[in-house]
Amino acid sequence: MNSISSNKSSKLSGDIVVPGDKSISHRALIIGSLVPGKIKITNLLESDDVIATANALELLGLKINKKNDFWEIFGSGIGNLSGSNYRLDMGNSGTGSRLLMGLVAGSDVEATFFGDDSLSKRPMKRIIIPLLKTGAIFDDPNNDNLPLKIRGSKIPLPIEYISPVASAQIKSSILLAGLSSTGNTIVVEPALSRDHTENMLKYLGAKISTIQLPDSSWKITLEGLPCLKALDIEIPSDPSSAAFPIVASIITPNSHVKVSNVCINDLRVGLYTSLIEMGANITFSNKRKINGETVADISASYSKLNGITIPKKRVASMIDEYPILSIAAVKAKGSTIMEGVEELRYKETDRISAICDGLNSIGVETVDTKDKVVIKGKGPDCILNGNKTIISKNDHRIAMSFLCLGLITENPITVLDTDTINSSFPSFFEVMNGIGAKLNRIK
Ligand code: S3P
């Protein structure tokens, strides 16, 4: 078991690049497998989660090559996968498993999905229920957890599904199944979740529309059997990974960093909106579009923060960033209140408990109710002792967040079992130490 200790640091600085976006990387591989012909993918995130998706697609018969500085995938067209008895190891990845189950639901394929301890505890009913409606068959449809065996249908039924949660994984799973059906697939979600699936499908030529309904929910409609084009995909850097050096710089005195080429899709930037409301110095420059996604360079420097209330309507746009926002909240003057965050309980670990337990252990008070968290900030000039050990619980974002906190405590914070960081940000250690963070590996 590998661990990392994080030691008091100052003056973080540098112009850096973080790896490709995890969500878009999964989609580039999965949707790339459905185009008729070869495409080139640049800046694919080569992390454990994404590699698990690539391996699963290869097992399903797709040809995927890693070249020096790009990947190529030979798409087999929509609805052309077949075979049974596949065993797909999805590792730690909820996105990979839920999206690939959608792909299998719309294919003449039978496959068993399994994963690590953390993934095996995550809820799957949320996609089983809609995928059953498309005609997919599950060995045990009452089972909420992996391992799960699913048999898809070559021509799935086009469905209309009203999702009780705003979840890009649920939405994308249904849309991927709907690609091979002969009618319109409709997903309604209570708030708009990240729309990378829609953007990529649109970029490749699919007809897909999004409208807001009078009750303020969102309706996404996809026409089945689109003629996809085999276009190359360039993946922007991941705003969820950029969050770590950026928050580290905001809380560490005399720091300034710039992270280039980051995806700033409106549905991913809730963390940055919240930090700016808290008083953080953050600027965006060099805004541009790459294959349907907006990117920019983000600069941030040390800032004195105030506590704020983060409304429920912002949850979807910063769902993965609450752990690192909680670290910023420690240095804020006053309380930071996070509303409507129950979904955090169903991530790689129960992130609400992990955040509160970790912060309590270093002397920060929190209030944790079913779907609301309050972090009582210690103020910009607080002195925190540190000298604590945090267990990652197989959750990469919990591990990286507490390592960022260790940069401002008097004594080190050690995070145990840090290999999980490879799920999303394999170069975290090097990138952070490259800007002056004092992280040490412990074997
Ligand atoms: C993801 C969607 C999010 C996010 C996850 C990646 C995706 O989950 O937490 O890390 O790529 O679709 P939900 O929107 O399903 O909650």
Side-chain angles (χ1 to χ4, degrees):
M1 186 175 76
N2 293 309
S3 303
I4 298 177
S5 76
S6 174
N7 301 273
K8 192 165 185 191
S9 306
S10 65
K11 289 195 202 146
L12 305 181
S13 74
D15 284 8
I16 53 172
V17 180
V18 299
D21 186 77
K22 181 157 77 67
S23 292
I24 302 177
S25 294
H26 282 296
R27 287 157 174 81
L29 290 168
I30 296 171
I31 298 174
S33 77
L34 296 170
V35 303
K38 180 173 91 170
I39 63 164
K40 195 163 134 183
I41 304 171
T42 43
N43 201 32
L44 185 84
L45 170 64
E46 295 177 5
S47 73
D48 289 353
D49 278 16
V50 175
I51 299 299
T53 290
N55 290 342
L57 287 168
E58 278 190 314
L59 256 183
L60 291 171
L62 271 312
K63 190 170 161 209
I64 301 176
N65 293 328
K66 175 175 161 42
K67 300 285 185 177
N68 264 352
D69 53 358
F70 63 91
W71 287 65
E72 57 187 16
I73 176 157
F74 295 77
S76 61
I78 289 171
N80 287 331
L81 299 178
S82 61
S84 52
N85 290 324
Y86 295 110
R87 284 189 55 77
L88 308 179
D89 181 356
M90 301 314 303
N92 188 246
S93 180
T95 307
S97 14
R98 295 188 179 118
L99 268 55
L100 277 179
M101 277 195 221
L103 180 77
V104 167
S107 314
D108 188 13
V109 166
E110 182 201 81
T112 300
F113 287 76
F114 64 101
D116 70 8
D117 285 353
S118 150
L119 183 58
S120 305
K121 291 191 193 105
R122 296 182 65 185
M124 292 294 158
K125 271 261 171 71
R126 49 179 62 202
I127 57 156
I128 295 175
I129 292 168
L131 294 181
L132 280 171
K133 292 180 195 290
T134 70
I137 296 166
F138 286 81
D139 245 16
D140 180 2
N142 292 317
N143 184 4
D144 192 22
N145 301 119
L146 297 191
L148 277 171
K149 189 179 200 179
I150 166 175
R151 161 151 279 294
S153 35
K154 191 169 168 63
I155 308 179
L157 298 170
I159 63 163
E160 171 159 1
Y161 185 68
I162 300 178
S163 176
V165 256
S167 157
Q169 295 177 357
I170 298 176
K171 173 174 65 178
S172 302
S173 185
I174 299 168
L175 294 175
L176 288 167
L179 281 172
S180 51
S181 84
T182 52
N184 284 351
T185 291
I186 296 170
V187 184
V188 176
E189 50 178 357
L192 203 52
S193 63
R194 65 188 67 188
D195 57 358
H196 304 304
T197 302
E198 296 93 303
N199 291 343
M200 194 174 289
L201 285 172
K202 230 180 264 174
Y203 165 70
L204 296 174
K207 290 206 179 101
I208 185 158
S209 67
T210 303
I211 57 165
Q212 189 163 27
L213 299 176
D215 68 355
S216 81
S217 62
W218 293 83
K219 177 177 173 181
I220 298 96
T221 306
L222 167 74
E223 273 185 31
L225 295 176
C227 291
L228 296 182
K229 292 176 258 182
L231 300 178
D232 294 341
I233 298 172
E234 183 187 339
I235 297 175
S237 294
D238 196 327
S240 302
S241 297
F244 298 103
I246 285 176
V247 169
S249 303
I250 288 170
I251 61 173
T252 307
N254 302 314
S255 301
H256 177 83
V257 290
K258 180 171 165 190
V259 191
S260 306
N261 204 37
V262 183
C263 175
I264 57 154
N265 179 316
D266 286 346
L267 300 168
R268 294 290 299 281
V269 292
L271 167 77
Y272 299 101
T273 308
S274 300
L275 287 169
I276 291 168
E277 277 180 11
M278 292 170 86
N281 299 312
I282 296 182
T283 53
F284 297 86
S285 57
N286 194 18
K287 260 195 203 177
R288 60 211 181 277
K289 278 247 177 202
I290 56 173
N291 42 247
E293 295 288 353
T294 309
V295 299
D297 302 342
I298 307 180
S299 301
S301 48
Y302 174 69
S303 315
K304 300 216 169 192
L305 303 175
N306 292 304
I308 57 164
T309 296
I310 303 173
K312 182 171 179 181
K313 67 174 189 312
R314 200 176 292 158
V315 171
S317 69
M318 56 178 289
I319 185 72
D320 292 334
E321 279 68 70
Y322 283 95
I324 188 64
L325 192 275
S326 308
I327 302 303
V330 170
K331 283 273 276 198
K333 182 173 166 215
S335 291
T336 295
I337 302 165
M338 305 168 181
E339 295 178 338
V341 290
E342 191 187 346
E343 267 296 296
L344 295 185
R345 299 202 184 275
Y346 312 114
K347 295 297 175 186
E348 283 79 339
T349 186
D350 173 346
R351 283 187 175 155
I352 295 182
S353 301
I355 292 166
C356 293
D357 293 351
L359 291 183
N360 295 161
S361 79
I362 62 146
V364 178
E365 262 184 78
T366 60
V367 182
D368 155 9
T369 52
K370 185 168 167 260
D371 72 341
K372 185 165 125 184
V373 177
V374 180
I375 294 172
K376 299 191 177 170
K378 293 283 208 182
D381 303 317
C382 65
I383 295 178
L384 295 161
N385 182 29
N387 197 19
K388 288 285 177 236
T389 298
I390 304 285
I391 301 169
S392 74
K393 297 188 176 153
N394 249 333
D395 189 317
H396 47 132
R397 300 196 201 283
I398 292 296
M400 292 186 277
S401 298
F402 280 96
L403 289 172
C404 288
L405 182 59
L407 304 178
I408 56 160
T409 54
E410 295 303 303
N411 296 294
I413 289 183
T414 300
V415 177
L416 302 184
D417 208 358
T418 46
D419 288 350
T420 182
I421 292 172
N422 294 331
S423 294
S424 64
F425 194 170
S427 55
F428 172 77
F429 184 90
E430 291 75 17
V431 168
M432 293 301 291
N433 280 3
I435 57 171
K438 293 181 183 155
L439 303 181
N440 290 325
R441 289 191 197 279
I442 306 169
K443 289 265 177 201

